[in-house]
Amino acid sequence: MPQIDGQVLAVAYEVAPGLISINKGEADKVKRGYTFEIYDGKTYKGQARVEYVHSNMCSALILRTTPGQKIRQGDSASTRCRQFSEALLGR
């Protein structure tokens, strides 16, 4: 999976477990099934899996969230976020 960095455009918690839109799409080589780590600065917030890909944005299902953290519009999204990947693996 290539390195793709974007931002959360919108969040909808009305549909469990939650959906987000990210400002990256087909033009950025996003594919269905890619996962994005969601964070704000140094605060890890969760992970989402891409379900729908449009030309310049994608929609993703929230897979998990960090207790006490809520994914919000403007949060960063990255397919490869080594800082948080290692923390999740306990390294």
Side-chain angles (χ1 to χ4, degrees):
M1 182 168 20
Q3 174 77 40
I4 303 171
D5 298 311
Q7 280 192 316
V8 175
L9 295 174
V11 183
Y13 284 107
E14 296 81 26
V15 180
L19 298 170
I20 63 172
S21 297
I22 300 171
N23 69 342
K24 298 295 174 179
E26 190 174 356
D28 305 289
K29 300 185 173 46
V30 173
K31 301 215 182 298
R32 185 174 190 258
Y34 279 12
T35 55
F36 279 84
E37 305 302 326
I38 312 300
Y39 59 98
D40 180 16
K42 293 185 177 183
T43 304
Y44 180 77
K45 293 192 166 187
Q47 184 183 62
R49 182 184 62 232
V50 175
E51 296 295 327
Y52 300 101
V53 181
H54 308 283
S55 59
N56 292 306
M57 65 168 285
C58 64
S59 300
L61 180 69
I62 296 172
L63 299 178
R64 68 171 170 248
T65 57
T66 300
Q69 297 296 325
K70 207 151 175 104
I71 296 172
R72 301 186 194 291
Q73 181 180 4
D75 284 345
S76 298
S78 180
T79 55
R80 290 187 183 178
C81 197
R82 185 179 182 110
Q83 169 187 356
F84 296 118
S85 297
E86 289 179 355
L88 290 171
L89 295 172
R91 293 184 186 165

